[in-house]
Structure formats: structure tokens, C-alpha cells
Amino acid sequence: MSVLVYALHYEGDFNKNSLGAVSEGARLAQELGGEAAAVVVGGDDLTDDLCASLGRYGASKVYRVNGPEGLAQPVVDAMAKVIGDNGFRYALFGGGLLGFEIGAGLTARLGAGVTMEVTAVKADDGKLVAERPILQDSAVVDVGYVDEPGIIIGRLNAFDVREAADGASAEVVDVDVQFEAHSTKAVMVQRGEQRGADVNIEDAEILVAGGRGLGKAEGFELCTQLADALGGAVAATRAVVDAGWYPYAAQIGQTGKTVAPKLYLAAGISGAIQHKVGMQASENIVAINKDSNAPIFEFSDLGIVGDLNKILPKLTEAVKAKKG
Ligand SMILES: Cc1cc2nc3c(=O)[nH]c(=O)nc-3n(C[C@H](O)[C@H](O)[C@H](O)COP(=O)(O)OP(=O)(O)OC[C@H]3O[C@@H](n4cnc5c(N)ncnc54)[C@H](O)[C@@H]3O)c2cc1C
């Protein structure tokens, strides 16, 4: 076995970030001439069908561990045991707070090498090399591993979800893990959505993002109307969440979330580097800005120079008309 991936589930589904990591793990394992497997930790909700469904994303085996789900230390115990018993060469995580915590814990437990904030991974001469942006994403370094296992922690949603054409199913293997005493000292008390974020913006395929160009908090109504018409969600820059115009949960960028939707529509956003790093992986970037020299136009697929107060309502109307 070559690559072991952790997959997080919630209410009967794996999240996009985990499925991306499983897909990427499978692709890399194939390049190394091996196979990829996933570790899942949870209770009765981890049914055979749910676990086996990871085969569709390329996992050949799924190690199912009965334990508290959504906490880092029990997963560290589980992955350390699976790696110790089966000799994986790499462990790959999709990023996000939990991925960082588990990856860091596993690194310490195994005395392994780790690379964080990884945006791409390649196989070179039978080994994996992680690409990691540095200096506010102005340069990329290649990081190799001198020893195995190597730990690779991606940026949130950095890896594409790829479904195998044959819809394969994975073999499910139950593993009994003796948790360390310290691993069971924290319990999940409650799980819920962040205040004001009724949509998970990391999983949304369409994002309408608003910046200071909206003029005031009420300006976000224009973004919400367009997002609703498109079936997407609303995102924001740090400038406007700091100003209290929109909830922090929607902030995109260096100190916010990293997203890669199919469409990122930026309205009244200048395109500062700290914002860019959180949305530059979007498939299509459309920017509306009244300043034709705004930096955002340098990395947009389509730029509209004009007043968002006129353009956003017209776009909403047009989308509604098209949808009938
Ligand atoms: C350490 C650090 C971390 C940071 N982290 C983040 C982060 O995670 N995310 C983030 O977003 N920022 C972050 N920032 C802040 C970042 O540097 C910018 O200040 C911020 O992104 C600017 O937000 P904005 O584009 O909404 O506002 P502005 O830069 O003020 O841009 C507003 C834009 O709206 C346009 N505009 C105005 N009126 C209209 C109109 N009527 N129609 C059309 N266009 C109009 C203007 O031409 C302008 O380009 C960080 C900064 C630092 C120092």
C-alpha cells in the first residue's frame, strides 16, 4: 500500500475536501505503482455502503475504526496503527483545521517529515514531491522526503474530486484501535454551523463575493439576490467582515477560507494578494469593478468595468429570466 488518506464524514456524507484527498491519494498511489486506502473513524453511521463508496474515488480499502468522530487524537491513534500494521509510504490530508491537527499529531507520533499548505503533489523517481507556495504565494517550492512515511497536508479543497468511471467499491476492513489515554480526554459536545453561515461556502460551486465596493452592509443584499438566483452562496473580503458588514465565516483569503468553486464572481473587490490566495484556484473568475486598473482584473477570466449597483441587479434579473 502506498498512500493512506483520512476521510471525514458527517451525517452520512463525506465532505468535498475529503473526497478530493481520496481522489488525489488514488492518483498518486497509481503513479507509485501501489494502492490507496482511507481511514474512517466513527460510530454506527459508518455503514458498509458508506465506507465502500470511497472506492468510487479510487480507494481500494477502507479501514473502519469505531471511535469518536470529528476529534483529532483518536484519528492519530487509528492512522498510526494502520500505518504501523500495513507499512504505508505516505499519509495525505485534505487540509482544514482537523486535517492540520491530525497531520501534525501523526507527524509527531511517527517522527515523520511533514509539508503543510500543499497545493499539488507529483511523483518523481518513485517518490512523492509536494509543491508548497511560499512568500504569500509569490513562489512555489518542491519538498521531498528523505524518509518514509511522509506526511502531506493539503490546503483546504486543493485537490480535485475525481470519480472513477467504473463506480468501484472499496473493501471495508474493521480495525480495533486501543486509544491512548490522552486521546479520549476531549469529547465533542456539540456540532453546528458557524453563526451567519447557513451555506458551507467551501463546498459551494458558485460564489458571489462582495467587497468594500458594496458601500455598506446592506449592499450585500445585491450579492445575496444574485447568489440565490444562481443557486450559490455569498462570500466576502476581510475588509468587509472587519467592518461588520458580513459574518467572518464567509471571509475568503489568507486569514480566511480557501475555495475553488466553478464560478467565483467578485463584486467591488480590489484583488489584494491576501484575498487572491484564497480564491485563485476557482475554475472561472468574473470580476465587477469600476476601476479598470483594479488588480483583480489581472487574474480574472472575465472582467466587467462598471458600477456594481447597476450590474448586479441586471445580472440577477437575467439569470432569473433565463431560468424561467
Ligand atoms: C496579514 C493580512 C491578512 C489579510 N487577510 C485577508 C484575507 O484573508 N482576505 C481578504 O480579503 N483580505 C485580507 N487582507 C486584507 C487585504 O490586504 C485587503 O485590504 C482586502 O482584501 C481589501 O478588501 P476589498 O477588496 O473588499 O476592499 P478594497 O481594497 O477597498 O477594494 C474595493 C474595490 O471596490 C471597487 N469599487 C468601489 N465602488 C464600486 C462600485 N460602485 N462598483 C464596482 N466597484 C467598486 C474599488 O474600485 C476597489 O477596487 C489581509 C491583510 C493583511 C495585512
Side-chain angles (χ1 to χ4, degrees):
M1 284 284 188
S2 303
V3 183
L4 185 65
V5 178
Y6 168 64
L8 173 71
H9 73 288
Y10 183 49
E11 292 183 341
D13 273 323
F14 292 104
N15 68 358
K16 181 180 164 194
N17 188 41
S18 294
L19 294 178
V22 173
S23 306
E24 183 69 359
R27 182 186 74 79
L28 293 167
Q30 201 175 18
E31 291 210 23
L32 296 175
E35 288 177 19
V39 165
V40 292
V41 179
D44 293 344
D45 52 337
L46 278 175
T47 59
D48 286 352
D49 284 352
L50 181 64
C51 295
S53 72
L54 288 177
R56 291 214 302 271
Y57 304 91
S60 56
K61 252 184 204 167
V62 172
Y63 295 98
R64 175 170 57 189
V65 177
N66 189 282
E69 178 260 332
L71 294 172
Q73 285 305 321
V75 182
V76 171
D77 291 345
M79 292 188 78
K81 176 165 173 56
V82 170
I83 290 174
D85 290 352
N86 302 279
F88 282 87
R89 297 181 60 195
Y90 298 93
L92 178 79
F93 297 88
L97 287 180
L98 193 61
F100 276 102
E101 206 179 332
I102 300 166
L106 189 63
T107 300
R109 180 78 60 87
L110 301 177
V114 63
T115 317
M116 293 183 154
E117 292 272 339
V118 170
T119 49
V121 189
K122 58 194 174 196
D124 186 18
D125 209 13
K127 291 183 169 189
L128 293 188
V129 175
E131 290 182 17
R132 198 217 139 136
I134 55 162
L135 301 172
Q136 293 192 338
D137 286 12
S138 58
V140 175
V141 289
D142 280 358
V143 183
Y145 295 84
V146 289
D147 207 356
E148 292 178 357
I151 314 290
I152 303 166
I153 308 177
R155 269 197 187 159
L156 193 67
N157 291 325
F159 306 126
D160 289 339
V161 178
R162 278 181 297 266
E163 217 169 319
D166 57 3
S169 90
E171 180 193 349
V172 183
V173 182
D174 284 309
V175 183
D176 201 15
V177 176
Q178 202 67 44
F179 294 118
E180 301 280 341
H182 65 261
S183 299
T184 49
K185 289 203 167 160
V187 289
M188 177 89 71
V189 178
Q190 194 187 9
R191 193 166 171 167
E193 297 299 326
Q194 257 180 295
R195 182 176 58 88
D198 50 354
V199 185
N200 187 354
I201 57 171
E202 283 126 314
D203 287 346
E205 297 209 324
I206 297 177
L207 284 177
V208 179
R212 203 147 36 190
L214 291 171
K216 51 184 186 295
E218 292 69 31
F220 265 96
E221 197 45 41
L222 297 175
C223 294
T224 308
Q225 284 163 358
L226 180 56
D228 286 349
L230 289 166
V234 174
T237 64
R238 176 160 160 182
V240 293
V241 302
D242 279 350
W245 294 3
Y246 210 71
Y248 274 103
Q251 183 192 322
I252 306 298
Q254 187 185 323
T255 42
K257 291 181 174 158
T258 304
V259 292
K262 289 201 167 126
L263 172 65
Y264 191 90
L265 195 149
I269 293 178
S270 58
I273 177 75
Q274 296 89 354
H275 186 76
K276 181 184 173 190
V277 297
M279 45 67 82
Q280 62 191 349
S282 305
E283 262 176 58
N284 297 288
I285 299 172
V286 176
I288 305 171
N289 199 303
K290 68 177 185 186
D291 174 8
S292 62
N293 291 317
I296 194 144
F297 289 134
E298 289 163 22
F299 52 93
S300 297
D301 299 288
L302 179 70
I304 306 167
V305 181
D307 182 357
L308 60 85
N309 295 300
K310 293 185 183 144
I311 297 165
L312 284 177
K314 284 201 172 138
L315 270 177
T316 306
E317 254 174 56
V319 172
K320 281 186 180 162
K322 178 111 184 142
K323 285 194 167 173

